[in-house]
Amino acid sequence: MVSILNKNLKDTNKLKQELKKIFGIGIWKANQICAILGLNPNIRVSEISLQNIDQLSNLININHYTGSELQKLTKEDVARLIRIGTYKGFRHIQKLPVRGQRTHTNAKTV
């Protein structure tokens, strides 16, 4: 098993599928990271060299917010919206949909 950012990656799965399991990295970012490093996103994790794993870990640490750091930034953004009194902040306080979704027949189980 390979460990990147305190997340164990299974050796039998493809690299892009395992990168998606890291909070803050989706399929688009996983493919983008593989392209930057020149790795095939469909390669198995077990086939990657230790040097590539170190490069992968360093690239993610330097260029991307992931895990608890990303969650902290998101909470701070919501708290800022609430503090300055925006409409979106009010919707967050009320636990209602923020981005204009319908509430007449949906979002009643909040």
Side-chain angles (χ1 to χ4, degrees):
M1 282 213 155
V2 176
S3 180
I4 297 176
L5 299 172
N6 299 328
K7 186 76 174 173
N8 292 329
L9 308 182
K10 290 184 183 177
D11 292 334
T12 57
N13 292 349
K14 295 179 181 179
L15 179 61
K16 68 178 177 182
Q17 294 301 109
E18 289 299 310
L19 285 177
K20 279 179 22 179
K21 293 181 181 178
I22 299 172
F23 184 80
I25 297 179
I27 190 70
W28 177 260
K29 265 191 190 173
N31 285 330
Q32 190 178 26
I33 290 168
C34 290
I36 290 170
L37 294 176
L39 296 172
N40 182 1
N42 294 318
I43 195 170
R44 303 272 178 209
V45 175
S46 60
E47 299 172 5
I48 301 172
S49 68
L50 291 176
Q51 181 184 4
N52 285 339
I53 292 170
D54 290 338
Q55 289 176 344
L56 187 66
S57 181
N58 289 336
L59 180 71
I60 292 172
N61 275 332
I62 293 170
N63 295 332
H64 301 285
Y65 293 112
T66 56
S68 60
E69 186 178 359
L70 179 61
Q71 290 172 336
K72 180 182 173 189
L73 287 172
T74 305
K75 285 182 182 180
E76 288 174 357
D77 289 342
V78 172
R80 183 183 58 82
L81 291 174
I82 292 169
R83 187 178 61 247
I84 64 175
T86 62
Y87 180 74
K88 286 177 79 172
F90 176 75
R91 299 295 281 185
H92 276 291
I93 291 170
Q94 298 291 319
K95 296 188 178 178
L96 291 170
V98 175
R99 297 182 180 176
Q101 294 93 334
R102 181 181 173 93
T103 58
H104 181 71
T105 59
N106 200 7
K108 290 184 177 181
T109 59
V110 179

